[in-house]
Amino acid sequence: MAGDGGMEEQWKEEEEGAFEAFVCPLTKQVMRDPVTIETGQTFEREAILKWFRECRDNGRRPTCPLTQRELRDTEVTPSVALRSVIHEWRARNEEKELDRACASLVGVGRLPLHAAGAGGEEEEREEDALRALVYVSQICQRSAASKDLVRRRGVLRAVAEMLKSGSRRLRLKSLQVLRVLVEDNDDNKEELGQGDTIRTIIKFLSNDHVQERELAVSLLHELSEHEPTCERIGAVYGAILLLVGMGSSKSESAVAVDKAESTLRNLDRFDANVKQMADNGRLQPLLTRLLHGEPETQVAMADYLGELALANDDKATVAQQAGPLLVGMLGTGAVQAREATLKALREISSTDASAKLLLQRAGVLPPLVNDVLFSTGHLPMKLKELAANILANLVASGADFRSIPLDVDDDDGRGRRRTMLSENVVHSLLHLISNTGPAIGCKLLSVLAGLTSSPATVADVVAGVKSSGATISLIQFIEAAHRDIRVESLKLLRNLAPYMGAELADGLGGSLTSLLRAISSDGGGVTEEQAAAVGLLGDLPEGDTSLTRQLFDLGAFRALAPKLAELRRGTIRGGNRHVTPLTEGVVKVMYRVTCALEEDAEYVEFAREVGLAPLFVELLHTNGMDTVQLYSAMALEKLSLQSSRLTAIPPPPSPPTGFACACFGRKPASAAAAAPGVCRVHGGFCSLRETFCLAQADGGKAVERLVACLDHLDGRVVEAALAALSTLVVDGVDAREGVVVLGEADGLRPVVDILVESRTEALQRRAVWAVERILRVEEIAGEVAADQTVASALVEAYRNGDPRTRQTAERALRHLDRIPNFSAAFQSQRS
């Protein structure tokens, strides 16, 4: 600190007067190593030797500085007696000065925090304290023995108290002096480590003042060289976190970062500190112990790993560095060691990246499954539970389990290596699910749910489930007491539904009531179980009329209709990720009703009662939910096909008049003014709610919304919307008027565009059929004939489509006069 030399001189002005013989004539200061030359004069050794060198350098003989007499030689003789006397004098002075320093420091240290440096007497006492600190620092730098003296005199403790001063100058100087006092002095480090001084020093690490942080971490580094004090540093709450943050900081000075790193290296001598460092993202000390420690240490470190909440990147780091070692520990050691290893693997396998590293680099699957999960030895169930957790994590990573063998040698009797998809492995998993507790069963259900969620692996699991005869057992789990088991079983059954729909529908039986109870439960929000249960019901074959009847008789549709309306209005939000799956599932279930409308008049009456058609029209407007829009359009197609038989036909209207084209912008005029209230498409009294007619004014713009879906990115939604619109031009309705309705909704051009784009074979087939129906209106055919792209698209369908599409395309090309009407020509020749 600037001015330290001046402070020391002011402090020395009051020291005990020195005898003249103690003072060197050359330096004018009290001697430390007095020597005598041949003239009998006494000087400071370094000072007189320097005088002799200067004499030689100037080309003259050495002389006595006081008498100027030339000397025969330059030998010097130590003045032992004088040095002893001076030493005693210094000791007396230093003790007195230390007493004064201690008094000054204690006096300022006892001032209130706001008083130090406030002015007047307090300011003077602060200056005294600064001079005292400088004095203590300098005498301790000159003599290592002084460090013990300052401790015995209580100065060390007084300086430590100065860290709590309200003056930054005093705090900074105290940090500097304390570092001097403890350097190379374990007794002082031990003394400073007592009480709350360590905690006070650590608080400086979070201070806003850069210099205070730097001096504090330097002092901590020095203290950490002493093992007992080092242990105390690690025991202070938050110390390691602050040091880790400083060691990795980009804004701290290089000195501070280096000292923090060095301090952490000293602290990692203790296992408790290593764990704290790992808790705060500094994993390497733990990994070093795990990889290179004694077996007992390795087990302890693995146990630590299992308790940590690691960041995802850290999990991948551990898997890469320590994965092989941990896997090797699985098959050996006592139960306690294997449990610690499994806990560590459970933690680090919980991300996709780390799980794949364990599978591909560490080879975790064979020992995990064979030596633990499927072990027939007397392993505690706790180990099997941990293994099931790890396996669920591994499967959730999305790794390809078809290529990961469970055995080194062929073991399935057919010259192939077993995998998780082998039939006997699936059987073993199903056996464990049925014969262990809920903790293991839940995780293994999750394993099978994960394997069946991939198109690449689902077929093998389905085959295993079928051959094991476990379908009924799996269904029974949806009535389990544990919620997690119910949820995981529902997920698995839903994945199996597209491949085992009939078996599941037959087996559900009495469990339908439990499913509906789960769906209808009101827990203040949408739950995963609700979404999974309704998803399973929605994925069962909609053509199974027996199941539809069961659901109808149980009141499922009547309960779900208002729930679907609430979901559409947003009154059921839940604020979580399960709202969308629930909405999709409910829409699929309600779609079942529309598939059975011709089976029983009850379904028609129910659809009318709950306003099913208007509800599906509303759901078409659910942006961002492709599945909801898809099934809504499919349902509207089914409903609209019933309009012809449900409408009440009045007396026939007058004959139609002229027709105007609307394919490219002009809306066609209706062929004839219909009687009031009579549907121009179906020729009877229609409404959206009662007869499911899309063309009615009460349709809530059904046709317009379906037309909007023709521009959807999902081709399935486009196809479903086009199928629904096509019900307006099918046989049995006034197709010309249906074209009018499409034209009024600006739907003709989008239908033609779908044909031209030909995105998929199914869409091409639908579009060819719809365009052929539209082209039956001569005015439209005449205008479309000028659009070469439409003709080219029809020619392409005629050339490459399936037989039915080719026939339809041929008829459409005849409407455009691109193919001659040979039947008319033959009739002309006969006449």
Side-chain angles (χ1 to χ4, degrees), residues 404-565:
I404 305 176
L406 289 177
D407 305 287
V408 176
D409 301 318
D410 297 342
D411 197 49
D412 68 350
R414 291 176 289 179
R416 297 181 305 181
R417 293 181 179 179
R418 291 187 312 155
T419 69
M420 288 300 299
L421 304 172
S422 298
E423 186 177 51
N424 59 349
V425 174
V426 174
H427 288 179
S428 296
L429 291 173
L430 291 168
H431 176 77
L432 283 174
I433 289 170
S434 298
N435 294 279
T436 55
I440 296 176
C442 179
K443 289 302 177 182
L444 295 184
L445 283 169
S446 177
V447 167
L448 291 178
L451 292 173
T452 53
S453 65
S454 168
T457 55
V458 61
D460 292 316
V461 179
V462 168
V465 172
K466 287 183 175 180
S467 63
S468 70
T471 305
I472 298 301
S473 298
L474 292 175
I475 289 174
Q476 290 174 345
F477 281 118
I478 66 179
E479 300 185 62
H482 291 81
R483 185 191 67 84
D484 290 343
I485 285 187
R486 298 197 301 269
V487 171
E488 294 303 329
S489 65
L490 287 168
K491 290 179 182 177
L492 172 58
L493 292 172
R494 184 179 181 185
N495 291 343
L496 297 174
Y499 308 89
M500 299 176 58
E503 295 96 317
L504 294 180
D506 291 341
L508 278 168
S511 298
L512 284 176
T513 303
S514 298
L515 274 180
L516 296 176
R517 188 184 307 116
I519 296 169
S520 302
S521 63
D522 186 7
V526 179
T527 67
E528 186 179 15
E529 184 177 3
Q530 285 179 304
V534 79
L536 171 59
L537 282 181
D539 285 345
L540 293 174
E542 60 266 11
D544 188 333
T545 56
S546 174
L547 178 60
T548 302
R549 169 50 65 181
Q550 284 182 273
L551 291 172
F552 188 83
D553 291 342
L554 289 170
F557 302 119
R558 194 169 299 280
L560 290 178
K563 185 178 286 287
L564 184 57

Side-chain angles (χ1 to χ4, degrees), residues 90-102:
R90 281 186 181 280
R92 288 195 305 273
N93 258 323
E94 285 184 354
E95 289 187 14
K96 291 179 180 179
E97 298 308 327
L98 282 174
D99 288 341
R100 275 186 55 225
C102 187

Side-chain angles (χ1 to χ4, degrees), residues 564-626:
L564 184 57
E566 290 175 3
L567 287 166
R568 170 67 187 104
R569 292 193 299 269
T571 54
I572 299 179
R573 292 191 177 276
N576 59 42
R577 57 194 173 91
H578 304 305
V579 172
T580 296
L582 178 70
T583 306
E584 292 174 348
V586 174
V587 169
K588 287 182 177 182
V589 173
M590 298 306 296
Y591 169 67
R592 295 185 68 91
V593 180
T594 68
C595 295
L597 292 173
E598 295 184 358
E599 300 293 327
D600 196 317
E602 278 189 278
Y603 298 140
V604 174
E605 288 305 316
F606 168 75
R608 287 169 167 169
E609 178 185 343
V610 300
L612 210 52
L615 179 56
F616 280 122
V617 170
E618 284 296 312
L619 290 167
L620 285 175
H621 210 51
T622 311
N623 295 326
M625 294 189 186
D626 295 357

Side-chain angles (χ1 to χ4, degrees), residues 123-450:
E123 185 175 353
E124 182 178 344
R125 295 176 70 178
E126 180 181 333
E127 293 298 326
D128 285 344
L130 286 170
R131 287 193 292 271
L133 288 170
V134 171
Y135 173 74
V136 170
S137 175
Q138 292 184 343
I139 65 168
C140 289
Q141 290 180 66
R142 287 196 297 263
S143 170
S146 298
K147 297 181 180 181
D148 295 322
L149 181 60
V150 298
R151 183 184 68 255
R152 291 193 298 268
R153 294 285 182 170
V155 175
L156 178 64
R157 182 54 52 194
V159 176
E161 287 298 316
M162 298 297 296
L163 296 176
K164 301 175 183 178
S165 169
S167 166
R168 175 166 288 144
R169 295 172 65 204
L170 286 176
R171 294 197 303 270
L172 289 171
K173 195 62 187 177
S174 298
L175 288 168
Q176 288 177 324
V177 173
L178 285 174
R179 188 179 183 282
V180 172
L181 297 183
V182 300
E183 189 173 13
D184 300 325
N185 192 302
D186 286 349
D187 290 335
N188 282 2
K189 289 172 183 171
E190 178 69 28
E191 172 79 13
L192 198 60
Q194 304 300 321
D196 67 344
T197 304
I198 298 295
R199 185 183 303 276
T200 301
I201 298 169
I202 289 169
K203 287 181 180 179
F204 282 105
L205 299 182
S206 59
N207 200 302
D208 292 336
H209 195 267
V210 175
Q211 193 176 3
E212 283 186 331
R213 294 199 304 271
E214 187 174 312
L215 290 173
V217 75
S218 297
L219 175 56
L220 281 175
H221 172 251
E222 190 62 42
L223 291 170
S224 68
E225 300 287 349
H226 182 239
E227 191 164 303
T229 308
C230 181
E231 191 170 11
R232 295 187 189 107
I233 293 173
V236 175
Y237 180 75
I240 288 178
L241 174 58
L242 290 169
L243 287 166
V244 168
M246 183 172 284
S248 59
S249 174
K250 304 297 184 185
S251 59
E252 296 287 351
S253 68
V255 172
V257 170
D258 179 67
K259 293 297 182 183
E261 282 291 321
S262 299
T263 305
L264 288 168
R265 284 194 292 271
N266 290 336
L267 289 171
D268 70 25
R269 288 176 288 187
F270 302 95
D271 286 355
N273 294 342
V274 169
K275 184 172 183 290
Q276 281 195 64
M277 291 178 194
D279 278 332
N280 292 296
R282 188 181 177 90
L283 277 174
Q284 202 55 50
L286 187 148
L287 292 179
T288 300
R289 273 176 159 70
L290 176 63
L291 294 170
H292 306 295
E294 296 296 322
E296 296 80 4
T297 302
Q298 290 180 321
V299 172
M301 293 302 107
D303 196 43
Y304 282 162
L305 271 178
E307 297 174 5
L308 293 174
L310 298 173
N312 289 346
D313 289 345
D314 290 337
K315 291 175 184 177
T317 299
V318 176
Q320 186 165 17
Q321 293 188 28
L325 173 70
L326 291 170
V327 170
M329 293 169 64
L330 271 183
T332 59
V335 170
Q336 182 181 2
R338 298 175 81 177
E339 182 176 349
T341 304
L342 286 166
K343 285 181 178 177
L345 288 171
R346 177 185 59 184
E347 173 61 25
I348 64 176
S349 64
S350 56
T351 67
D352 293 352
S354 57
K356 288 177 181 177
L357 284 169
L358 290 174
L359 286 166
Q360 297 162 4
R361 294 172 60 91
V364 69
L365 196 60
L368 180 71
V369 174
N370 299 327
D371 298 341
V372 184
L373 191 61
F374 290 171
S375 172
T376 56
H378 298 291
L379 282 181
M381 294 306 290
K382 176 64 175 177
L383 300 192
K384 291 183 181 289
E385 180 184 338
L386 289 168
N389 272 270
I390 297 165
L391 186 58
N393 288 342
L394 297 174
V395 170
S397 71
D400 185 2
F401 283 84
R402 296 174 300 174
S403 59
I404 305 176
L406 289 177
D407 305 287
V408 176
D409 301 318
D410 297 342
D411 197 49
D412 68 350
R414 291 176 289 179
R416 297 181 305 181
R417 293 181 179 179
R418 291 187 312 155
T419 69
M420 288 300 299
L421 304 172
S422 298
E423 186 177 51
N424 59 349
V425 174
V426 174
H427 288 179
S428 296
L429 291 173
L430 291 168
H431 176 77
L432 283 174
I433 289 170
S434 298
N435 294 279
T436 55
I440 296 176
C442 179
K443 289 302 177 182
L444 295 184
L445 283 169
S446 177
V447 167
L448 291 178

Side-chain angles (χ1 to χ4, degrees), residues 61-123:
R61 293 180 61 81
T63 61
C64 172
L66 292 180
T67 64
Q68 300 301 316
R69 196 179 97 189
E70 289 188 1
L71 304 176
R72 291 190 299 273
D73 59 60
T74 56
E75 289 186 9
V76 295
T77 304
S79 182
V80 178
L82 180 59
R83 182 169 59 187
S84 177
V85 172
I86 292 175
H87 177 74
E88 292 176 3
W89 175 83
R90 281 186 181 280
R92 288 195 305 273
N93 258 323
E94 285 184 354
E95 289 187 14
K96 291 179 180 179
E97 298 308 327
L98 282 174
D99 288 341
R100 275 186 55 225
C102 187
S104 296
L105 296 174
V106 170
V108 175
R110 289 174 179 168
L111 289 175
L113 290 181
H114 65 275
E121 181 182 350
E122 288 79 11
E123 185 175 353

